[in-house]
Amino acid sequence: MPLALRYLRYIFFTCFALVCLYFYSSSPSLPLRTDLNRILDEQLHSEETQEVAATITQAPERRPPHRPDGQKANATFVSLARNADVWDIARSIRQVEDRFNRQFNYDWVFLNDEPFDDTFRKVTSALVSGKTKYGLIPKEHWSFPKWIDQKKAAKVREDMGAKKIIYGDSVSYRHMCRYESGFFFRHPLMMEYDWYWRVEPSIEIFCDIREDPFRFMEDSGKKYSFVLSLYEYEETIMTLWKSVKGFVNAYPQHIAEDNTMAFISDDDGETYNRCHFWSNFEIGSLNWLRSPAYMDYFNFLDREGGFFYERWGDAPVHSIAASLMLNKDEIHFFNNIAYYHVPFTHCPSGEKTRLDLKCHCNPSDNFDWKGYSCTSKFFKTAGLQKPEGYEDE
């Protein structure tokens, strides 16, 4: 074959091959290797997405704990708040709802010494899963009783303010302490309930709450509960114990036989050691607070004038009452309710508990077993064993 013809044939086959390659690469039905890789990756990703979606769909639905009779307790949350507290109380509500109440739908009572405005009502009612109720505190429950010497009370506030005692010069704080000590549980909106859970603005709940604390209290015969305890400022309660001793002498029939006196006194009742349950969190029996025994106690203290002549707080008032009038087994410590109110934290003891309840608190922040806490004293007095893992905190 002539050389020229051979080259011509070579050029023809080369052109033919290039044309075929062009049509092969440009055809949508015949993808290149890079297109095949892309399609395979997309298919693989699609299969993974479907598998994840199936896992989510098949995950067990979160349900309320089993309750044999299917009934909730006759209970409510209660918050003393003002219109200016709306966003701080909204934060608290969201914490409680997300960790507990969205499964149980308990009501929420809000109390104020002034009418609640529309913003407060709209924001809070949108967040609460149960019914919301808004109550106005009667003026006679948020004012100086007639037996108080106004000049003497004013002088006390001035002196305490000069000494920089916390809330020492505040009138409204004293009204609040007196109201929480003797009146909130008698408000008409509260009268239809048997149990309460007090919630304040800007608190945090760190763990899921799977067991209904109201039902636990009711079914276990408890009447008062707490998560934090500490020592009270001595300057605010200088004569409180003297008044308590006067009550005990006047009403010995109200003192429980198996009480926890040793929690609040280190010398068998001679003096008060200042230990108290921190009452910004408490779950308790409204019927106990309305009982003749507690009402005799509050009325006796109220006539003594210490809410205004000193700065008696509702925390020591409630704590002393519970310690004297209730039996040991009627007061409960909720290890599994993780709680923060500035500046103290209760983070549940025990790593397994924290993991099971999906807690996000730092156990090193737990106040329970630190020196200024009274919780160890409560456990000793009540004859209770500390939670597993407490020694690691």
Side-chain angles (χ1 to χ4, degrees):
M1 179 180 294
L3 184 61
L5 184 59
R6 190 177 300 171
Y7 276 114
L8 183 62
R9 196 167 108 187
Y10 175 78
I11 292 171
F12 172 80
F13 281 112
T14 300
C15 291
F16 179 80
L18 289 172
V19 170
C20 289
L21 182 62
Y22 169 77
F23 281 106
Y24 179 84
S25 62
S26 62
S27 172
S29 60
L30 297 171
L32 290 174
R33 179 174 178 80
T34 55
D35 292 326
L36 286 171
N37 287 342
R38 176 177 55 79
I39 290 173
L40 288 173
D41 288 343
E42 290 175 351
Q43 290 176 342
L44 180 61
H45 177 72
S46 176
E47 291 172 357
E48 290 174 347
T49 303
Q50 291 172 3
E51 182 179 354
V52 171
T55 301
I56 295 173
T57 302
Q58 294 168 7
E61 182 184 353
R62 295 182 62 186
R63 300 179 184 275
H66 174 67
R67 296 190 293 276
D69 58 7
Q71 297 295 317
K72 298 190 300 182
N74 183 23
T76 185
F77 294 96
V78 59
S79 295
L80 192 62
R82 297 191 170 185
N83 291 315
D85 297 325
V86 60
W87 302 116
D88 292 328
I89 197 65
R91 173 184 173 185
S92 300
I93 295 169
R94 189 58 191 258
Q95 298 264 335
V96 173
E97 287 288 334
D98 286 353
R99 288 296 197 170
F100 169 69
N101 200 43
R102 64 177 176 169
Q103 300 181 47
F104 294 88
N105 313 129
Y106 280 106
D107 296 347
W108 208 304
V109 173
F110 299 94
L111 301 174
N112 190 353
D113 63 315
E114 298 178 353
F116 285 108
D117 60 28
D118 289 342
T119 298
F120 190 99
R121 289 171 177 265
K122 286 189 292 186
V123 170
T124 53
S125 62
L127 291 170
V128 175
S129 57
K131 295 178 181 178
T132 53
K133 303 179 181 182
Y134 304 88
L136 183 64
I137 296 171
K139 183 175 178 58
E140 60 270 23
H141 294 170
W142 197 273
S143 58
F144 293 96
K146 60 184 180 181
W147 57 84
I148 295 298
D149 183 331
Q150 295 280 356
K151 290 183 179 180
K152 179 181 177 180
K155 184 63 167 62
V156 168
R157 296 195 301 274
E158 181 182 348
D159 292 344
M160 282 192 170
K163 294 177 183 178
K164 307 298 182 184
I165 296 173
I166 186 169
Y167 302 119
D169 58 351
S170 173
V171 174
S172 63
Y173 190 82
R174 285 172 167 81
H175 289 321
M176 181 276 290
C177 290
R178 180 173 179 257
Y179 185 77
E180 293 282 20
S181 296
F183 295 102
F184 85 91
F185 48 87
R186 293 185 280 167
H187 191 283
L189 291 180
M190 297 294 292
M191 292 303 293
E192 64 182 274
Y193 300 103
D194 297 327
W195 300 91
Y196 74 100
W197 178 339
R198 178 172 165 179
V199 179
E200 294 203 350
S202 298
I203 60 103
E204 290 192 57
I205 301 293
F206 293 111
C207 306
D208 288 348
I209 303 171
R210 295 173 184 166
E211 182 179 25
D212 185 341
F214 295 123
R215 285 300 305 269
F216 170 82
M217 296 283 288
E218 188 171 57
D219 296 344
S220 303
K222 309 295 183 182
K223 293 183 180 178
Y224 189 84
S225 65
F226 72 103
V227 294
L228 287 164
S229 68
L230 64 156
Y231 293 92
E232 180 62 299
Y233 296 103
E234 187 171 7
E235 296 83 355
T236 66
I237 53 165
M238 298 296 288
T239 66
L240 174 59
W241 192 248
K242 178 182 176 182
S243 296
V244 169
K245 290 170 74 174
F247 163 76
V248 172
N249 289 332
Y251 296 94
Q253 69 273 23
H254 293 331
I255 307 306
E257 184 176 350
D258 188 28
N259 61 58
T260 52
M261 169 73 83
F263 172 66
I264 55 175
S265 178
D266 299 330
D267 50 17
D268 199 27
E270 185 61 29
T271 61
Y272 177 37
N273 62 18
R274 300 182 289 118
C275 278
H276 66 279
F277 309 120
W278 215 23
S279 60
N280 49 64
F281 170 97
E282 55 185 9
I283 301 174
S285 166
L286 290 165
N287 293 323
W288 170 59
L289 292 176
R290 298 183 193 120
S291 69
Y294 185 86
M295 288 310 305
D296 285 343
Y297 167 77
F298 170 73
N299 289 330
F300 188 97
L301 295 186
D302 199 26
R303 296 292 304 193
E304 294 284 284
F307 290 108
F308 301 103
Y309 296 148
E310 294 181 6
R311 203 228 63 190
W312 294 354
D314 55 281
V317 170
H318 282 189
S319 302
I320 291 170
S323 298
L324 294 179
M325 299 184 207
L326 300 180
N327 292 312
K328 290 185 178 73
D329 61 2
E330 293 178 310
I331 304 175
H332 183 69
F333 170 72
F334 274 111
N335 180 54
N336 62 329
I337 299 181
Y339 176 80
Y340 170 81
H341 183 292
V342 62
F344 300 119
T345 296
H346 163 65
C347 188
S349 295
E351 182 182 46
K352 184 177 186 304
T353 297
R354 293 192 296 271
L355 294 176
D356 288 347
L357 298 179
K358 302 184 182 345
C359 301
H360 69 278
C361 53
N362 184 344
S364 65
D365 293 334
N366 186 25
F367 182 69
D368 297 344
W369 319 116
K370 292 181 168 56
Y372 201 67
S373 170
C374 292
T375 301
S376 289
K377 182 181 290 292
F378 172 78
F379 269 72
K380 182 179 179 180
T381 301
L384 301 175
Q385 185 176 354
K386 292 180 181 178
E388 182 180 354
Y390 84 94
E391 64 276 1
D392 299 326
E393 298 168 1

